[in-house]
Amino acid sequence: MRGLNLDHVSAFTEVVRLGSFSVAASHLNLTQPAISQQIGQLEKRLGVRLLERVGRRATPTAAGSELLDHAARINGAVAALLEGLARFTSGEVGRVRLGTGATAAIFRLPPMLRSLRRKLPELEITIATGNTSDVVKAVQDNALDIGLVTLPAGGRGLEVTPVLDDEFVAVTARDGVALPQRVTPAVMASRPVIMFEPGGQTRVIADQWFFNGGVELKPKMALGSVEAIKRLVEAGLGCAILPAVAVREAGDRANLVMRPLSPRLYRKLAIVIRRDKVLHLGLRETIRALKSLPKAP
């Protein structure tokens, strides 16, 4: 649209993302009156009201939600244009903002990122970690370009592509809580169990495994870090259900005992990206690399 100021659109999306004029102003290194003026000029230019207050939070109106959908495409197209032009002047191939869970970030991504950096040394990659719901929302809001998340996942305007299965195993210390060769939900529930904290898909999957086995588990402890869980298990404080990929290092195999679960338990990892995302070179290569992640640890 002629005369549409892209800075005003960006200010609008930041206010919606952060829910606050003052926080958005600080994030953009502007004053709050400057942000308010930009939003006012944008509303005047479009002839509609874009924001309203619900309590102390700024939220989009119906017209604002419509603009938000288009703004993500506008920002993506502009970013792709600038990144494409940058290759002619400085050899840059773009920036990729990738979101995933902490376990995948630690144990799945490093070899892939090393290979990607070797192929595209000028590619700028930033990694954000969070639960599936957090990453999916950030991709929808265009705060992240792509996510590697645990299924189920989905949302308006998203393309979801499964890439691999992660198997879970039962883990205990070599001199800790004893586990038989066949670990069922009932067997596991009879031991002190350390679980992932509630709220993430990994915990939901594990809870469903116990539920399907007719067991109501009451974990002794719940933590958000796979490394912290491993350390507590090594100390003999209990056993845990962890992705097999998280216990493949030599030190883990020296200190921990792994047992397969019965029935087997897997989580599916998938790529999530906006269907309207403009794919520059770096993003295309990142998607290709994620689709080539090894299927087993």
Side-chain angles (χ1 to χ4, degrees):
M1 181 182 293
R2 292 183 60 186
L4 185 64
N5 189 312
L6 295 181
D7 288 339
H8 296 175
V9 176
S10 294
F12 164 74
T13 58
E14 281 300 285
V15 171
V16 172
R17 184 173 73 87
L18 299 170
S20 165
F21 280 77
S22 59
V23 177
S26 176
H27 186 78
L28 293 172
N29 295 317
L30 297 171
T31 64
Q32 182 171 339
I35 283 283
S36 298
Q37 183 180 31
Q38 289 187 1
I39 300 300
Q41 290 174 350
L42 182 61
E43 290 180 327
K44 183 178 179 180
R45 177 68 185 86
L46 297 176
V48 292
R49 187 180 180 188
L50 298 173
L51 291 168
E52 60 186 355
R53 290 193 177 275
V54 177
R56 300 181 62 182
R57 187 173 181 84
T59 60
T61 63
S65 295
E66 181 72 18
L67 174 60
L68 196 63
D69 285 342
H70 291 284
R73 291 194 291 273
I74 292 169
N75 290 337
V78 171
L81 170 63
L82 296 177
E83 289 164 355
L85 293 176
R87 295 203 301 274
F88 293 98
T89 59
S90 61
E92 294 180 3
V93 293
R95 177 188 67 167
V96 172
R97 301 164 300 170
L98 170 63
T100 191
T103 302
I106 296 170
F107 300 105
R108 285 286 183 188
L109 294 189
M112 183 215 82
L113 294 174
R114 184 168 56 248
S115 176
L116 193 58
R117 178 57 55 84
R118 205 178 298 129
K119 186 172 185 179
L120 298 174
E122 299 302 321
L123 177 63
E124 177 190 345
I125 304 177
T126 59
I127 309 294
T129 59
N131 291 331
T132 289
S133 58
D134 299 327
V135 173
V136 168
K137 185 178 186 306
V139 171
Q140 283 183 305
D141 293 344
N142 209 39
L144 291 173
D145 299 308
I146 188 170
L148 178 67
V149 300
T150 302
L151 292 179
R156 180 182 177 188
L158 293 181
E159 180 178 315
V160 180
T161 307
V163 290
L164 61 88
D165 290 342
D166 249 355
E167 183 173 11
F168 287 85
V169 292
V171 179
T172 188
R174 290 201 175 276
D175 57 353
V177 178
L179 289 175
Q181 291 296 324
R182 180 173 177 267
V183 179
T184 64
V187 166
M188 200 71 180
S190 68
R191 271 71 168 173
V193 179
I194 304 170
M195 295 284 284
F196 282 101
E197 63 186 5
Q201 287 295 86
T202 298
R203 175 62 184 269
V204 171
I205 291 169
D207 285 343
Q208 188 64 44
W209 183 76
F210 282 105
F211 178 81
N212 292 342
V215 172
E216 182 180 355
L217 177 71
K218 295 182 179 179
K220 295 298 181 183
M221 285 179 278
L223 296 93
S225 163
V226 66
E227 287 297 324
I229 293 174
K230 284 160 56 177
R231 299 292 84 81
L232 292 180
V233 171
E234 285 181 0
L237 296 177
C239 51
I241 293 176
L242 295 174
V245 70
V247 286
R248 67 181 180 181
E249 301 296 333
D252 295 328
R253 294 185 181 275
N255 300 321
L256 299 171
V257 175
M258 284 152 282
R259 297 280 189 259
L261 298 175
S262 179
R264 297 274 185 159
L265 180 62
Y266 298 87
R267 65 173 182 175
K268 290 186 177 292
L269 298 183
I271 295 169
V272 292
I273 191 168
R274 288 181 64 106
R275 291 194 184 99
D276 56 9
K277 190 72 177 177
V278 179
L279 303 182
H280 57 71
L281 175 61
L283 190 50
R284 289 198 304 271
E285 290 299 325
T286 301
I287 294 171
R288 184 176 292 111
L290 288 172
K291 289 182 177 179
S292 300
L293 284 170
K295 305 304 180 186

